[in-house]
Amino acid sequence: MSDTRRRVKVYTLNEDRQWDDRGTGHVSSTFVERLKGISLLVRAESDGSLLLESKISPNTAYQKQQDTLIVWSEADNYDLALSFQEKAGCDEIWEKICQVQGKDPALDITQDPIDESEEDHFEEIPETTHLVELPPCELGRLEEIADLVTSVLSSPIRREKLALALMSEGYIKKLLGLFRVCEDLDNREGLHHLYEIVRGVLFLNKAALFEVMFSDDCIMDVVGCLEYDPALVQPKRHREFLTKTAKFKEVIPITDSELRQKIHQTYRVQYIQDIILPTPSVFEENFLSTLTSFIFFNKVEIVSMLQEDEKFLTEVFAQLTDEATEESKRRELVNFVKEFCAFSQTLQPQNRDAFYKTLANLGILPALEIVMGMDDLQVRAAAIDIFSYLVEFSPSMVREFVMQEPQQTEDDVLLINVVIKQMICDSDPELGGAVQLMGLLRTLIDPENMLASTNKTEKTEFLSFFYKYCMHVLTAPLLANTAHDKNSKDHPEGSAKINPVCPDNFQTAQLLALILELLTFCVEHHTYHIKTYIMNKDLLRRVLVLMNSKHTFLALCALRFMRRIIGLKDEYYNRYIIKGNLFEPVINALLDNGTRYNLLNSAIIELFEFIKVEDIKSLIAHIVDNFYKALESIEYVQTFKGLKGRYEQEKDRQSQKLNRYRRDARSMDEDEELWFNDDDDDEDGEAVERRMDEDFSDSYEKFMEAKKGAANGANGANNGKSAAIPAASPAVTSSNSSSSSVKTVALPATPVVKVTKRHKHILLSLKKKKKKKESKCLFLNLFKACRNCQCFLSVFLLDCSCRIGGLP
């Protein structure tokens, strides 16, 4: 697999007649049992997967082009090509194909596909008649030659035989000699016949003929023949344009003569295909597929040759970044680099990767910073095109470069800030350049194309960089055009609103819409960074000022920004919206819109419908509490009534939840009496309980004496302003019942409350517990029981809490 002779690139021709690269691998020819024949196999050099498996059919026409290409068609409109790294490998596979088909490897084409209409007559054609008999190349026979050429186009076999005849006899050059004679004699009839002949020869679609026709000594005569279209009254002046108007500019002298010849040839052939030849009909589309391939592989070869010439490229970028370079010279250099990048699109991915790395090493990005700031519109447009090639191919490469800039330069001249300023300052009324740059910025800040990076921290680092150094530049026009609203709270209610966006400035409104579109993208994809920025700058309030704009599309952009924020269902955002009362401009816009059924109306209602369906409780409560009176008259949709219903449901749910823990004191006493109707205390429990009652009585008397002394002291301090509390004379009622012993203390200021059995039961359990943690739990239960009935135990508990370590 390491044999470079068999290394190939696989191409397929797409519907737009452009070659798509399918990958690089190594080709072999072997017998495939499933296909029952010798087949071409190409396995990818990266992972060994099968890129191509094609049986060598006896009736398939294979063509060998430019010594390293083999092209063929496997089915209708499905063309394949193998581009070999070395000529020796191409020759080996070509010999194998010719061996299977029984053809002479010296030929550059095996055969054309045979139409069904000709298959029946194929055997009738004698093997000796290999060529079509051409009339003598004379002025008097031009009409006959033209008829012959046009008649064979419908037959693949006859096209092949005519092509072989034209090649074998050097017929093309003889025809072009007659063209010069006819033009000297102004023989219009002969010139019209030559137009038909040359056009027909091009439609033969043979690379070998193209090599002759597009050579330096023939191509201008071919263009001359194509000027004399019989359908035109006067001939076109294509040669005059190619030789005088279209001039080849060498921004840096090209010393390689072969490269210069290839560039000239490619430009002229491209001109023939795009300008001179009429658009092919449906039946003629395949006639020029080889011409497309010819141009494609020429471009590949040009890029490869330029890339290998390091001295040439180094000089190009040295002059491009040199401050002493004249503006006109710099313009030519930029246009050259643009064309160079456009040609590079024909390279396969591996080679394209190497190509852009070469440009990066030569300083393409610093050069773009310089040329993007120039006043020349053409230069700026070309620089934007180059930047788009770089971003589309490798956003990570651009991000890596810009993150290194703050260490070397100021914020104002950062590459991304230069791009943003170009977007903001676009002079095109339709903002064509701004739209393109906005798309490039979106690609650069898209986290989706950062995930596959080998640098795992790229996302965090770049977004931090962007929000620190670039976001303020992006939002500057937005903040500047909404600055009038900063003191809107100071205006008295009902005062006229100031519209900060100039109603006649459509271009500014378009620019703000582009910025909002990018910010909306950030809300959706940058969670932390954009949230922090919105809060710090109060950005949503400033954006919603644009709801007042006379440009509906701008108001919709502002609404879309808020809709995306609410769509995240982030309570942090929701609290920000509620605190700032940011629904007010949206509802005002809805009410100002009146009964008009338009896009703005539908978008606002959809916003509230989303809040209702998703049941965002905090926003629903805010909207109903503050705006329902203004919205309740809107009945053509059920959205606002639905919001009110959601609001009422939530209030009922909260009320039920509170009532579940709030019970009447009297009913609680009844429940307690029912729960303690059965007396199951055993004798041990009674003894312990009696001892506990005695302890409780002693502790309580001590506590009350201390409290009484404190009260008397306070009364003395108040100089007798308050009557002294009389001494407590506890009335104790004792019962010798075997089941319980209750002591009731009557105080003048406190009603006599009976201690329930539940209290004593808890106290008894508290007495038995040894562990502090368990005592705390039981103590808490006792405290809860006494807190509601307000019995004297709740006072006593304060003293007990000190003994067991306080409430848990």
Side-chain angles (χ1 to χ4, degrees):
M1 297 295 287
S2 60
D3 187 2
T4 57
R5 292 183 305 165
R6 297 292 184 94
R7 190 169 184 266
V8 295
K9 294 177 289 185
V10 181
Y11 293 95
T12 58
L13 196 65
N14 60 28
E15 294 179 354
D16 298 327
R17 312 306 297 169
Q18 300 294 323
W19 287 101
D20 291 334
D21 182 13
R22 295 301 183 189
T24 302
H26 292 79
V27 64
S28 62
S29 59
T30 184
F31 183 82
V32 177
E33 181 65 29
R34 181 173 58 82
L35 299 178
K36 298 181 179 179
I38 302 295
S39 303
L40 296 177
L41 302 178
V42 179
R43 295 194 176 276
E45 65 178 359
S46 58
D47 56 8
S49 60
L50 194 63
L51 297 178
L52 176 68
E53 185 180 56
S54 174
K55 179 182 177 181
I56 302 176
S57 172
N59 298 325
T60 299
Y62 293 86
Q63 299 179 45
K64 187 170 75 166
Q65 302 176 10
Q66 302 178 9
D67 294 332
T68 56
L69 288 172
I70 297 178
V71 183
W72 73 98
S73 299
E74 286 208 341
D76 294 339
N77 297 324
Y78 185 67
D79 295 342
L80 291 163
L82 293 179
S83 176
F84 288 79
Q85 181 172 328
E86 297 184 10
K87 180 179 181 296
C90 182
D91 292 340
E92 289 180 12
I93 297 299
W94 181 250
E95 289 178 5
K96 190 66 177 180
I97 293 171
C98 292
Q99 179 183 348
V100 172
Q101 292 195 338
K103 302 294 182 179
D104 184 3
L107 298 176
D108 288 337
I109 186 168
T110 57
Q111 59 186 4
D112 269 344
I114 302 175
D115 288 350
E116 293 181 0
S117 59
E118 297 193 356
E119 284 182 349
D120 298 336
H121 307 288
F122 182 72
E123 294 180 355
E124 300 176 5
I125 301 175
E127 293 183 1
T128 55
T129 57
H130 294 293
L131 304 177
V132 172
E133 185 175 351
L134 290 169
C137 191
E138 300 171 355
L139 285 177
R141 310 294 292 271
L142 286 177
E143 182 177 3
E144 184 179 350
I145 298 170
D147 291 340
L148 174 63
V149 171
T150 55
S151 66
V152 304
L153 295 179
S154 59
S155 168
I157 292 180
R158 297 188 66 195
R159 287 207 309 269
E160 172 63 22
K161 294 184 180 299
L162 177 61
L164 291 174
L166 290 171
M167 284 296 299
S168 62
E169 300 180 12
Y171 210 79
I172 298 296
K173 292 187 177 182
K174 295 178 183 177
L175 287 172
L176 296 177
L178 287 180
F179 163 73
R180 291 189 288 271
V181 173
C182 288
E183 197 166 39
D184 291 340
L185 298 174
D186 197 18
N187 183 349
R188 288 302 178 91
E189 183 180 0
L191 292 171
H192 290 163
H193 290 318
L194 283 167
Y195 170 87
E196 297 291 346
I197 293 169
V198 172
R199 180 175 177 272
V201 171
L202 289 173
F203 281 172
L204 292 178
N205 206 26
K206 303 302 175 185
L209 293 176
F210 292 160
E211 293 288 350
V212 176
M213 297 175 74
F214 300 148
S215 60
D216 285 347
D217 54 345
C218 295
I219 190 167
M220 296 308 293
D221 289 334
V222 170
V223 172
C225 291
L226 295 173
E227 291 178 351
Y228 292 94
D229 185 350
L232 300 177
V233 178
Q234 293 293 330
K236 295 287 185 180
R237 298 179 178 272
H238 296 302
R239 285 172 294 174
E240 181 178 342
F241 175 82
L242 289 173
T243 55
K244 296 181 180 180
T245 306
K247 294 188 177 181
F248 177 62
K249 297 179 180 180
E250 292 183 81
V251 291
I252 302 295
I254 298 175
T255 57
D256 189 338
S257 59
E258 182 183 356
L259 175 59
R260 290 173 57 181
Q261 185 273 332
K262 189 70 70 177
I263 293 173
H264 284 302
Q265 183 188 61
T266 303
Y267 176 79
R268 291 165 180 170
V269 176
Q270 187 85 60
Y271 183 86
I272 291 172
Q273 184 187 44
D274 295 342
I275 306 300
I276 299 178
L277 290 178
T279 303
S281 65
V282 176
F283 303 102
E284 297 175 332
E285 283 184 353
N286 291 331
F287 285 175
L288 295 175
S289 60
T290 304
L291 182 62
T292 303
S293 303
F294 185 91
I295 296 170
F296 172 82
F297 291 113
N298 260 20
K299 290 180 177 179
V300 172
E301 194 171 348
I302 290 171
V303 173
S304 299
M305 294 172 73
L306 283 172
Q307 191 175 350
E308 291 170 1
D309 192 345
E310 295 182 1
K311 183 179 179 181
F312 175 81
L313 290 179
T314 302
E315 182 65 22
V316 168
F317 284 97
Q319 292 195 22
L320 191 61
T321 55
D322 188 356
E323 295 181 0
T325 303
E326 297 180 359
E327 295 299 315
S328 57
K329 180 73 170 179
R330 199 189 307 276
R331 186 184 310 119
E332 293 176 358
L333 289 165
V334 172
N335 287 327
F336 166 77
V337 176
K338 174 188 171 183
E339 291 296 320
F340 193 29
C341 291
F343 273 32
S344 72
Q345 301 306 300
T346 61
L347 297 174
Q348 61 178 344
Q350 302 96 304
N351 292 342
R352 202 183 314 165
D353 189 15
F355 168 78
Y356 283 113
K357 285 181 178 178
T358 300
L359 293 186
N361 294 334
L362 291 169
I364 181 67
L365 290 169
L368 287 178
E369 281 184 341
I370 296 174
V371 295
M372 276 188 178
M374 294 177 63
D375 296 330
D376 193 319
L377 293 178
Q378 292 183 349
V379 170
R380 289 213 307 260
I384 291 172
D385 289 338
I386 297 170
F387 186 67
S388 68
Y389 284 127
L390 296 171
V391 171
E392 289 170 8
F393 177 74
S394 179
S396 293
M397 181 182 71
V398 179
R399 285 192 287 262
E400 183 180 356
F401 169 77
V402 298
M403 282 191 290
Q404 296 172 354
E405 284 189 293
Q407 305 170 6
Q408 306 166 2
T409 184
E410 299 178 358
D411 291 359
D412 292 341
V413 292
L414 295 177
L415 177 59
I416 292 190
N417 286 346
V418 171
V419 172
I420 293 173
K421 289 176 181 177
Q422 289 301 315
M423 182 183 82
I424 294 172
C425 301
D426 189 5
S427 59
D428 181 7
E430 297 299 326
L431 296 183
V435 172
Q436 183 182 6
L437 288 173
M438 191 274 291
L440 297 176
L441 285 172
R442 183 170 175 164
T443 301
L444 286 174
I445 64 175
D446 186 359
E448 294 297 325
N449 59 44
M450 302 180 196
L451 298 178
S453 172
T454 54
N455 182 6
K456 301 300 182 183
T457 61
E458 180 185 14
K459 177 179 176 180
T460 303
E461 291 179 356
F462 181 76
L463 291 182
S464 298
F465 163 85
F466 181 78
Y467 280 87
K468 181 178 180 181
Y469 295 102
C470 308
M471 183 57 98
H472 66 281
V473 181
L474 178 64
T475 56
L478 176 64
L479 299 177
N481 282 279
T482 56
H484 294 84
D485 197 60
K486 278 195 287 189
N487 300 320
S488 61
K489 295 181 179 179
D490 300 334
H491 298 317
E493 187 175 352
S495 62
K497 295 179 181 178
I498 300 174
N499 184 359
V501 181
C502 179
D504 298 326
N505 196 341
F506 178 74
Q507 187 171 352
T508 300
Q510 275 191 312
L511 175 62
L512 295 179
L514 283 178
I515 294 172
L516 280 176
E517 183 177 346
L518 203 57
L519 291 175
T520 303
F521 176 84
C522 293
V523 167
E524 190 171 0
H525 293 84
H526 306 164
T527 53
Y528 166 74
H529 294 86
I530 188 65
K531 184 189 298 184
T532 304
Y533 191 83
I534 289 174
M535 301 301 171
N536 291 340
K537 297 292 184 181
D538 198 11
L539 189 62
L540 181 56
R541 181 185 303 279
R542 305 292 284 273
V543 168
L544 290 176
V545 171
L546 302 177
M547 294 295 295
N548 296 324
S549 173
K550 64 168 287 186
H551 303 287
T552 305
F553 71 88
L554 183 56
L556 287 168
C557 287
L559 183 64
R560 188 182 304 118
F561 180 71
M562 185 177 189
R563 171 65 175 82
R564 193 72 77 242
I565 289 175
I566 293 175
L568 297 176
K569 296 186 286 187
D570 186 333
E571 277 303 313
Y572 194 73
Y573 275 128
N574 294 345
R575 288 193 297 270
Y576 164 66
I577 292 171
I578 293 169
K579 183 178 179 181
N581 195 27
L582 298 181
F583 275 108
E584 183 179 3
V586 177
I587 291 173
N588 287 338
L590 176 64
L591 298 176
D592 293 342
N593 192 62
T595 57
R596 284 172 290 183
Y597 183 62
N598 52 21
L599 187 57
L600 181 62
N601 175 276
S602 299
I604 294 175
I605 289 176
E606 190 277 335
L607 172 66
F608 290 107
E609 183 69 22
F610 175 82
I611 295 172
K612 184 194 77 172
V613 171
E614 296 296 327
D615 196 17
I616 306 176
K617 294 179 175 57
S618 58
L619 296 184
I620 291 175
H622 173 71
I623 293 167
V624 174
D625 286 340
N626 294 278
F627 305 106
Y628 186 69
K629 288 184 179 179
L631 299 171
E632 63 181 344
S633 61
I634 300 177
E635 297 181 344
Y636 54 87
V637 290
Q638 299 301 309
T639 300
F640 302 107
K641 287 186 177 180
L643 286 172
K644 179 69 171 177
R646 292 273 191 184
Y647 176 75
E648 297 295 343
Q649 288 175 8
E650 182 61 22
K651 282 186 67 177
D652 292 343
R653 190 179 300 114
Q654 293 296 334
S655 297
Q656 293 173 7
K657 187 176 180 181
L658 290 174
N659 289 336
R660 190 180 308 165
Y661 301 104
R662 186 182 300 157
R663 304 177 62 186
D664 184 72
R666 179 176 299 175
S667 63
M668 181 178 291
D669 289 340
E670 294 173 356
D671 291 343
E672 289 173 349
E673 292 299 331
L674 292 173
W675 192 69
F676 284 109
N677 275 340
D678 296 332
D679 191 359
D680 298 329
D681 295 338
D682 55 15
E683 295 180 356
D684 294 337
E686 293 170 3
V688 173
E689 190 173 20
R690 281 195 295 271
R691 291 196 301 271
M692 181 178 172
D693 287 338
E694 294 171 358
D695 293 341
F696 169 73
S697 179
D698 295 339
S699 298
Y700 177 73
E701 289 173 0
K702 293 177 181 179
F703 173 76
M704 290 306 297
E705 289 175 1
K707 182 176 181 181
K708 175 183 168 185
N712 289 333
N715 290 332
N718 292 330
N719 298 321
K721 291 182 180 179
S722 300
I725 298 174
S729 55
V732 180
T733 302
S734 301
S735 175
N736 295 325
S737 167
S738 61
S739 61
S740 63
S741 176
V742 181
K743 297 179 182 179
T744 305
V745 180
L747 297 174
T750 307
V752 178
V753 181
K754 178 185 176 182
V755 180
T756 65
K757 293 182 180 181
R758 183 178 181 185
H759 298 161
K760 296 196 306 180
H761 179 75
I762 297 175
L763 283 170
L764 178 63
S765 301
L766 180 61
K767 197 73 174 179
K768 291 179 180 179
K769 297 297 180 182
K770 304 296 183 182
K771 295 182 179 179
K772 185 176 180 180
K773 183 176 182 182
E774 295 177 352
S775 298
K776 284 186 178 182
C777 294
L778 287 168
F779 182 78
L780 179 61
N781 290 334
L782 180 61
F783 179 79
K784 289 180 179 177
C786 300
R787 180 177 54 189
N788 290 326
C789 66
Q790 299 180 356
C791 69
F792 65 83
L793 283 175
S794 61
V795 181
F796 169 66
L797 288 173
L798 297 174
D799 179 56
C800 296
S801 65
C802 298
R803 302 186 181 185
I804 64 171
L807 289 173

